[in-house]
Amino acid sequence: MIPQDEFRKYGHEIVDWIADYLSEVEKYPVKSQVKPGEIKSSVSPEPPINGEPMETIMSDFREKIVPGITHWQHPSWFAYFSSNSSPVSILAEMLTAGLGVQGMIWDTSPSATELEEVVMNWLRDMIGLPDSFTGVIQDTASTATLCAMISAREKSSSFITNQKGFDRTYRVYTSTQTHSSIEKDVKIAGFGKENLIYIETDENYALKPELLEPAIIKDINHGHVPCCVVGTLGSTSSMAMDPIDKIADICSKYGIWFHIDAAFAGTAAIVPEFRSFMKGAEKADSFVFNPHKWMLTNFDCSAYFIKDSLQLQRSFAIMPEYLKTTADSQVNNYRDWGIQLGRRFRSLKLWFVIRRYGVDGIREMIRKHVNLTAKFVSWIENDPNIEITAPVNLTLVCFRLTKRGATEEELAVLNKSLMEMINATGQVYLTHTVLSGKFTLRLAIGRHNTEERHVRLAYDLIRQYSDELLNQQQ
Ligand code: PLP
């Protein structure tokens, strides 16, 4: 038998461990330094037949699991896009786990459903979307975009696809800088990869609207059905902003579903002076951003907004006898607002986070990150050996080390070495992309505990290893 007071004892111990972890996270290397297979070989390949003491499990956690953790909560995290947790969000997540609610329908926990309605209205207002949008929480932006594509598919086919499968070729359009999840969603939704049409971008890596309309007309002339356009606000490679106002007008002219993927950048719309990139968002059919990236809410929590929520529900509705309740006509049953039946009580952590930080607290953090980004740019922009490879939007800087007379291949090798040397120090973690054929480093600022000294350390390491690499090559 498991002792009754064990949960309380280890609950306290684990909260202490998390509190220490968060205050001392800088002592860990940001990127885990283990080799592939190292963690797997350190833990038992067989499940224990008899239960083990908590002491042993906790000790193995500290000794064997923590070394294989890449520390997303580290203030020198500059890789990909950040995934912010926060103490208050962790506490709410503990309550969610404690309650163990599965909120598939209103009856299975009215608080889970109704709090979701309330916080999604808060979020919608916070980012400046009009109240013609209704929100629902999805696990990730990938899933939210898949929901948008399926709703678009059903709208274009008048629900025939749900009944009979595809009757014609339906097309989806997006920019060449779109996130990889768009291709994945197109495949899962059954459009077929060949029906994802990539539109070229301009010198700012933003979709060229003047190429979108001819692509749509060409498809119509070939008997295809233009079904959905996915615009991006804050592309993953370079934080490019598509001209969504113009795209929205083209979509409305041809009756095409317009979905906006603002997975990372969407949080910046909470700050009035940064909101200009949202111009035209009110004309979209659906919009997603991830509080689990930049809004202090631990993974997973993706905010999906849709204009016609009935379209979403009709696309996903199922009505088995065992899920029918007397409340159905008066409530939202979120099982019909997305893919999964079972749903976690995610709104609780959003409610805790927004109440504890307040809208102004979140704004303050975003402004701090934008200011830190400007500082970093001011340090590198006058460096003759560093080239900024894309316009800097919000908090992402794309740059690379250059060397006179070097070919693109040589520069790619040089910059890959620079990135690996920096990451091997464990003091900073940054990642790369390729822009216009140029291997490019990305410094993405977005951790709530990042201060100027962390950004300065990143700059100093870039300088130090750039000098080393350039000297070696002379
Ligand atoms: N869209 C963009 C622009 C992103 O940057 C990302 C992830 O970084 C995603 C979508 C995918 O987000 P998720 O992991 O929530 O599916």
Side-chain angles (χ1 to χ4, degrees), residues 80-82 138-145 177-182 185 231-237 261-265 288-290 292-293 299-302 442:
Y80 308 104
F81 282 134
S82 51
Q138 306 287 347
D139 53 8
T140 58
S142 305
T143 302
T145 299
Q177 292 294 315
T178 203
H179 188 261
S180 56
S181 57
I182 312 308
D185 290 339
T232 309
L233 290 177
S235 66
T236 315
S237 277
D261 173 7
F264 182 80
V288 64
F289 87 100
N290 284 345
H292 71 222
K293 282 186 158 67
F299 192 84
D300 51 6
C301 185
S302 191
R442 296 166 76 260

Side-chain angles (χ1 to χ4, degrees), residues 54-90:
M54 275 299 285
E55 283 86 346
T56 318
I57 303 171
M58 275 305 287
S59 143
D60 281 353
F61 165 74
R62 286 188 297 265
E63 313 280 312
K64 299 177 176 176
I65 304 301
V66 173
I69 295 298
T70 287
H71 298 279
W72 284 76
Q73 307 311 311
H74 197 296
S76 296
W77 176 277
F78 301 113
Y80 308 104
F81 282 134
S82 51
S83 190
N84 276 282
S85 172
S86 62
V88 65
S89 179
I90 297 167

Side-chain angles (χ1 to χ4, degrees), residues 288-432:
V288 64
F289 87 100
N290 284 345
H292 71 222
K293 282 186 158 67
W294 202 6
M295 219 197 81
L296 302 156
T297 310
N298 56 291
F299 192 84
D300 51 6
C301 185
S302 191
Y304 179 53
F305 296 95
I306 183 157
K307 254 209 202 116
D308 184 354
S309 65
L310 279 179
Q311 179 69 35
L312 176 72
Q313 292 171 65
R314 278 189 70 196
S315 303
F316 286 96
I318 35 122
M319 189 41 92
E321 189 54 41
Y322 49 80
L323 291 178
K324 288 181 184 161
T325 72
T326 48
D328 285 351
S329 61
Q330 306 158 61
V331 298
N332 281 332
N333 286 320
Y334 280 128
R335 63 146 201 264
D336 288 336
W337 292 59
I339 292 159
Q340 56 196 109
L341 170 64
R343 302 181 85 248
R344 298 183 62 236
F345 186 7
R346 294 192 186 89
S347 54
L348 193 66
K349 58 188 173 186
L350 271 174
W351 193 56
F352 270 52
V353 165
I354 299 169
R355 292 186 65 186
R356 184 71 190 93
Y357 286 91
V359 177
D360 263 350
I362 297 168
R363 286 179 176 146
E364 204 180 299
M365 175 195 69
I366 296 163
R367 288 190 182 110
K368 177 179 91 168
H369 291 155
V370 172
N371 288 336
L372 288 175
T373 308
K375 281 222 162 104
F376 179 76
V377 170
S378 73
W379 298 330
I380 63 168
E381 68 188 349
N382 295 320
D383 189 322
N385 294 321
I386 292 182
E387 176 194 4
I388 296 180
T389 47
V392 177
N393 281 326
L394 297 172
T395 57
L396 178 63
V397 187
C398 294
F399 65 97
R400 67 172 181 170
L401 180 59
T402 54
K403 190 176 157 236
R404 197 174 310 149
T407 63
E408 275 309 325
E409 288 73 28
E410 286 164 346
L411 287 177
V413 172
L414 190 68
N415 279 282
K416 193 156 182 269
S417 305
L418 176 60
M419 179 175 77
E420 283 168 0
M421 286 163 96
I422 292 170
N423 290 343
T425 66
Q427 297 181 70
V428 159
Y429 184 22
L430 43 83
T431 50
H432 79 283

Side-chain angles (χ1 to χ4, degrees), residues 46-336:
E46 310 286 345
I49 299 300
N50 297 311
E52 298 179 74
M54 275 299 285
E55 283 86 346
T56 318
I57 303 171
M58 275 305 287
S59 143
D60 281 353
F61 165 74
R62 286 188 297 265
E63 313 280 312
K64 299 177 176 176
I65 304 301
V66 173
I69 295 298
T70 287
H71 298 279
W72 284 76
Q73 307 311 311
H74 197 296
S76 296
W77 176 277
F78 301 113
Y80 308 104
F81 282 134
S82 51
S83 190
N84 276 282
S85 172
S86 62
V88 65
S89 179
I90 297 167
L91 292 174
E93 193 73 288
M94 283 170 61
L95 289 174
T96 293
L99 293 170
V101 158
Q102 200 277 62
M104 58 187 179
I105 53 178
W106 182 88
D107 259 25
T108 62
S109 260
S111 288
T113 299
E114 294 189 16
L115 196 62
E116 185 158 336
E117 291 171 30
V118 172
V119 292
M120 291 309 281
N121 285 347
W122 285 7
L123 270 186
R124 177 196 62 205
D125 296 347
M126 283 162 66
I127 61 170
L129 279 180
D131 61 10
S132 48
F133 283 88
T134 311
V136 55
I137 301 176
Q138 306 287 347
D139 53 8
T140 58
S142 305
T143 302
T145 299
L146 179 58
C147 290
M149 280 187 199
I150 290 171
S151 302
R153 186 190 79 188
E154 292 314 305
K155 188 173 184 201
S156 310
S157 70
S158 307
F159 295 93
I160 283 179
T161 318
N162 259 352
Q163 291 303 323
K164 297 177 185 288
F166 280 95
D167 58 337
R168 282 174 294 166
T169 307
Y170 293 83
R171 301 285 232 194
V172 177
Y173 309 82
T174 195
S175 95
T176 50
Q177 292 294 315
T178 203
H179 188 261
S180 56
S181 57
I182 312 308
E183 180 188 319
K184 199 190 254 186
D185 290 339
V186 158
K187 291 194 222 163
I188 300 170
F191 289 96
K193 194 177 152 186
E194 286 179 8
N195 294 310
L196 175 60
I197 309 302
Y198 288 106
I199 308 294
E200 286 301 327
T201 56
D202 62 17
E203 66 286 1
N204 298 323
Y205 300 105
L207 182 145
K208 281 185 177 171
E210 65 274 24
L211 297 185
L212 176 62
E213 191 164 6
I216 291 169
I217 294 170
K218 187 172 154 212
D219 280 349
I220 293 172
N221 291 339
H222 281 87
H224 304 315
V225 183
C227 172
C228 181
V229 175
V230 180
T232 309
L233 290 177
S235 66
T236 315
S237 277
S238 72
M239 195 77 86
M241 303 289 184
D242 283 346
I244 54 170
D245 201 26
K246 289 189 178 142
I247 299 173
D249 289 342
I250 297 171
C251 288
S252 119
K253 183 168 167 191
Y254 293 92
I256 302 172
W257 189 283
F258 183 32
H259 173 69
I260 298 177
D261 173 7
F264 182 80
T267 301
I270 297 172
V271 186
E273 68 268 25
F274 300 149
R275 197 177 282 165
S276 56
F277 64 83
M278 291 282 280
K279 186 170 180 293
E282 70 285 353
K283 299 187 221 167
D285 294 285
S286 52
F287 181 98
V288 64
F289 87 100
N290 284 345
H292 71 222
K293 282 186 158 67
W294 202 6
M295 219 197 81
L296 302 156
T297 310
N298 56 291
F299 192 84
D300 51 6
C301 185
S302 191
Y304 179 53
F305 296 95
I306 183 157
K307 254 209 202 116
D308 184 354
S309 65
L310 279 179
Q311 179 69 35
L312 176 72
Q313 292 171 65
R314 278 189 70 196
S315 303
F316 286 96
I318 35 122
M319 189 41 92
E321 189 54 41
Y322 49 80
L323 291 178
K324 288 181 184 161
T325 72
T326 48
D328 285 351
S329 61
Q330 306 158 61
V331 298
N332 281 332
N333 286 320
Y334 280 128
R335 63 146 201 264
D336 288 336

